[in-house]
Amino acid sequence: MIINEVSAPPALTAFARLIGPERTVRLRRAAEEIRERLAGGTLWHVNSTPAGGGVAEMLQTLLPVYTELGVRARWAVIGGTDEFFRITKRLGVALYGSDDGPLGAREHAAYLRSLSTDAAELLGMIGPRDIVVLHDHQTAGLAPRIADRTATTLWRCHVGVDEPTPASELGWDFIGPLLDGVRSLVFSVDRHVPARFSDRSVHVLPPFISPFGYKNAELGMDTVRACLDHCGLGAQDATAPPAVRTPLGPVRLRSAPTVHREGTRRAGAPLVTQISRWDRLKDMGGVLDAFTGHVPQGHLALVGPDPAAIADDTEQRFWYADCVRRWQDLTPAQRARVTLVALPMADLAENALLVNGLQRSSDVVVQKSLAEGFGLTVAEAMWKRRVVVGSAVGGIRAQITDGVDGFLLSDPADLAGLGALLNTAIGSEVDGISIGARAHQRVHTDFLADREVTTTAAMLTQERMATS
């Protein structure tokens, strides 16, 4: 287990200007309620990776906000063997509704055995006034060891499936009993709460974006073009400068992405982009097939992290290689309209900036997930006023109002349907500026960090009232 220290420049003043005085008053009042509930203790967040994925990105934003608000907060990251992460990957797929391999007694024993060291280390750091938030299935096995040693232990689930399946029920059989001592359960999407928890204290709290971080800050056009050039997507075969300007200071573009392309993107061609993990459920291969089979114009960029860089996801290499193979099997004319980009992860600021620049360069951002917990890449693109096309699953459906602030694909397996939506989205009949403006406002209203703090305060107040 490591303690992930987060340092960030003060941002509360700028955030207060963004959300306005009424929301700022509610935010400060909520922070005061959390401090009173802690009574000198610490608010802990525990997850499985210090970088990569929505949970890590949220915590990198949230902890500095709590610090500026006077709330003592810390972030612990569990370790794990390769076997542990293979099991938790399989478990995550099950909770998304698909069968990815056995989850029996042997796997359960190995899962708990791997977490025993983390549990012992965490017990040496927490105290009876502390509040611990355990994130996702990787940490659920800590709950039986720590729940009676804290003021409150919450378990937060960022994954799920809209309709139960035999595989998802098996996944909940695996971790459900481990959560018996947890005071409250927190889900990102109300449809993902299993019926088995109907008698439990359950809250719904969507994730949030950071509007001032490298991934979402406003960028000048020179910086956006440099990001595009660095990823091999410039209209010409240009070379990006060694450093670019951002509102947070200069960022060096020192790590070269791995790029699969044939020639250069045609000048003026609409850019359609999906940025996500190389994961079966993100269905990058399906996006490639839909675009090359049904969209006669534009250029597609499939962008994900270096597949070897995310410790808690051991299958990214396979799905990345699958996309590369599919790309290689295309005709030369098709390959010329598709670029695959694996972004470096060594410098998180550089990685986030490249994602920002690529989203801002895109005419349409896609998230064709087969299942989705929430899908923060959707909110990120909406914040940048992009036209977003996403599958009507999980949290994507909770973010996009079809035809108002984006477009929803009713059947995520419908490649022709995705092609039709993409043709509509990049066509002249769509007012992308108006859709983008409404998308930005939706994120401003519902998916910023003050909602996290105010909802956390409300949950803790409700718990105190229920136990008093």
Side-chain angles (χ1 to χ4, degrees), residues 319-445:
W319 293 108
Y320 173 68
D322 177 72
C323 281
V324 172
R325 178 190 57 76
R326 289 174 185 243
W327 179 83
Q328 291 170 337
D329 288 344
L330 296 173
T331 66
Q334 289 173 325
R335 283 199 301 273
R337 298 178 56 229
V338 179
T339 301
L340 308 184
V341 184
L343 297 178
M345 294 288 292
D347 183 334
L348 295 183
E350 178 188 40
N351 177 273
L353 177 66
L354 292 174
V355 171
N356 191 347
L358 290 174
Q359 286 181 327
R360 291 186 184 278
S361 302
S362 301
D363 297 278
V364 177
V365 173
V366 184
Q367 190 59 59
K368 198 194 88 65
S369 299
L370 303 178
E372 188 64 72
F374 191 75
L376 273 177
T377 53
V378 171
E380 292 161 1
M382 292 172 72
W383 180 254
K384 300 175 183 75
R385 298 176 171 85
R386 299 299 91 192
V387 176
V388 181
V389 175
S391 302
V393 296
I396 299 176
R397 177 164 45 192
Q399 295 174 75
I400 295 175
T401 301
D402 188 32
V404 176
D405 47 28
F407 296 96
L408 289 173
L409 176 67
S410 58
D411 178 2
D414 182 3
L415 301 187
L418 176 60
L421 280 179
L422 292 177
N423 286 321
T424 297
I426 61 180
S428 59
E429 67 271 23
V430 168
D431 184 354
I433 293 176
S434 295
I435 289 177
R438 291 191 290 268
H440 176 85
Q441 184 57 48
R442 177 67 195 281
V443 178
H444 184 279
T445 301

